[in-house]
Amino acid sequence: MTTPKTRFVTKVGVSLGIFLIVTLIVLRPHLSSLPAEKRTVPNDSLYPSQLSFYHPGGHVAATTRSYQAAWKDLDIRPGITLDIERAWSITTGSRRVVVALLDDGFFYQHEDLAANIWKNPGESGFDANGYPKETNGIDDDHNGYIDDVMGWDFVFNDPDPDPYIFDGTDRSRIQPYRHSVSAMGIIGAQGNNGIGVAGINWQVSMMLLKIGAQGVKMSEIDYQRIDRDVRAIRYAADNGARVINWSGFVNDDRPDKLATLKDAIRYAASKNVLLVAGAGNDGRDIDRAENCLYPQCIESENIVNVAEVDFKGELYEYKFDGQTRGSNWGIRRVQIAAIGDNFTTSLKDNRSVYEVSGGTSSAAPVVSGVAGLVLSARPTLTAVQLREVLMKSVTPLDSLKGRITSGGVVNAYRAVNLAITQY
Ligand SMILES: [Ca+2]
Ligand SMILES: [Ca+2]
Ligand SMILES: [Ca+2]
């Protein structure tokens, strides 16, 4: 039998329960966005040298390469690094996310990269006759490319995007190039495997699109370059890439050729592919027409141009022949910044080594890597949403106000957190 008193207590209990449930439902998005203090630290032997990924700030003597002792004194501004360890407590990346790299050529045999190279599912396994699809000389997935298992060599038109290139004008100067090796390591060196470094994505699929060198003879225009880039971008868009990292530019401004490049980038936008490009290293304002670079100055909602900052959070700058050089900027055309100096994978005498890379060529892959990490947690984001997430989650810096659109430096934890709580 229930007395009025017990009925009252029951009513209070039920009301309180409903109140708590409603409160939890209302507050849930806010609770999950509270800063997770949990940090995830990988076991890679050289991870302690990856200061751009996480460091609390202060003075530090940094190792700059793995193959010969070399140190550099650094003053790190607190809050400037990627805050990656808190991001890794949410996600460490996924092999389902495909990040394409447009670069000169690729040392994909590197000990800390080989596991994270894209494997085209349509050119893997065995054909009806029992031959491996990757070497059977047949275009098994009917995409117009024969045996394209990890990407394509658009210079020599073959399935092997190896690091051997020529300068676009002189075929006798074939040599292995290492420009891409740092970008690959920043985006996706295999993490937590005990050796080398950790990529922003411990696991990811890197599609390798070899477009040749741009810098051996800077004064000469390579008239085939845009055609190769156009084919590479369309390949990426047609074969499942969600991000394209392009740490480069074309030195050809013929309007009809640039129009084909713009069409390819728009095509990539229609397939929800984000194109991340380095802002360039001339120390100039690329909003000014006379300083324009391409693809950087092409207008499209799926382009993110990346400026480089140093460990103090200043736009990277140095003097060369009495002239100021360093990262380009542009309040309209450069959207975001990242630290350029990253300790990561490299190539020396055909060996796998590790060292600090720099320039906007190394700042861009930081943003591409974070874009990949965000997609591993929220694969349904459109390219436009992904760009918005990256820009909204920056760490704002006074030094970047008025210089770049977002006014800040990319932050992996805030980006992943924003994507999973608000999208
Ligand atoms: Ca094929
Ligand atoms: Ca085949
Ligand atoms: Ca590793």
Side-chain angles (χ1 to χ4, degrees), residues 220-223 225-226 249-261 289-295 297-298:
E220 289 188 26
I221 295 171
D222 173 358
Y223 286 109
R225 188 170 174 78
I226 289 184
F249 52 88
V250 297
N251 50 6
D252 175 355
D253 59 2
R254 289 173 293 169
D256 57 327
K257 284 293 163 189
L258 287 178
T260 65
L261 184 58
E290 69 270 27
N291 294 335
C292 254
L293 288 173
Y294 299 95
C297 291
I298 288 173

Side-chain angles (χ1 to χ4, degrees), residues 84-263:
I84 191 82
E85 293 176 1
R86 287 201 293 167
W88 282 336
S89 290
I90 303 169
T91 174
T92 58
S94 164
R95 288 281 290 165
R96 288 190 301 277
V97 176
V98 181
V99 178
L101 291 95
L102 259 64
D103 218 311
D104 40 31
F106 301 91
F107 182 54
Y108 48 79
Q109 299 93 336
H110 193 290
E111 62 182 6
D112 219 7
L113 298 173
N116 283 340
I117 306 302
W118 178 65
K119 204 160 190 222
N120 180 359
E123 293 278 4
S124 306
F126 296 90
D127 66 17
N129 298 318
Y131 294 109
K133 286 185 185 175
E134 57 190 271
T135 53
N136 63 357
I138 294 167
D139 181 12
D140 295 281
D141 58 355
H142 311 290
N143 67 351
Y145 295 87
I146 293 168
D147 296 348
D148 52 319
V149 71
M150 58 181 118
W152 193 255
D153 180 338
F154 291 93
V155 180
F156 295 113
N157 271 316
D158 68 50
D160 185 0
D162 60 45
Y164 295 92
I165 56 158
F166 67 103
D167 65 6
T169 54
D170 181 358
R171 278 185 174 252
S172 68
R173 292 204 259 170
I174 293 176
Q175 55 180 307
Y177 261 49
R178 62 172 188 175
H179 181 265
S180 67
V181 187
S182 49
M184 293 164 84
I186 292 165
I187 293 166
Q190 191 183 1
N192 212 38
N193 63 341
I195 63 157
V197 292
I200 291 170
N201 300 273
W202 293 5
Q203 52 277 318
V204 67
S205 293
M206 293 188 280
M207 179 190 281
L208 308 181
L209 307 176
K210 173 172 162 178
I211 55 169
Q214 68 189 6
V216 181
K217 283 187 190 170
M218 289 296 276
S219 57
E220 289 188 26
I221 295 171
D222 173 358
Y223 286 109
Q224 276 80 53
R225 188 170 174 78
I226 289 184
D227 294 340
R228 296 197 296 269
D229 298 331
V230 163
R231 291 180 70 204
I233 291 167
R234 288 182 177 273
Y235 180 97
D238 284 337
N239 290 280
R242 290 296 319 275
V243 180
I244 297 173
N245 186 80
W246 191 355
S247 293
F249 52 88
V250 297
N251 50 6
D252 175 355
D253 59 2
R254 289 173 293 169
D256 57 327
K257 284 293 163 189
L258 287 178
T260 65
L261 184 58
K262 187 173 180 171
D263 284 349

Side-chain angles (χ1 to χ4, degrees), residues 262-321:
K262 187 173 180 171
D263 284 349
I265 292 170
R266 289 278 170 83
Y267 179 69
S270 76
K271 301 267 187 170
N272 269 321
V273 184
L274 187 72
L275 174 66
V276 181
N281 306 312
D282 314 298
R284 293 178 187 157
D285 178 357
I286 62 168
D287 280 356
R288 300 171 66 98
E290 69 270 27
N291 294 335
C292 254
L293 288 173
Y294 299 95
Q296 288 80 0
C297 291
I298 288 173
E299 306 274 341
S300 192
E301 74 278 5
N302 63 328
I303 293 187
V304 177
N305 292 317
V306 186
E308 178 188 13
V309 293
D310 61 22
F311 278 94
K312 290 180 177 152
E314 302 291 331
L315 210 56
Y316 184 70
E317 210 178 84
Y318 66 95
K319 296 275 182 203
F320 183 76
D321 272 353

Side-chain angles (χ1 to χ4, degrees), residues 64 283 375:
T64 60
L375 286 172

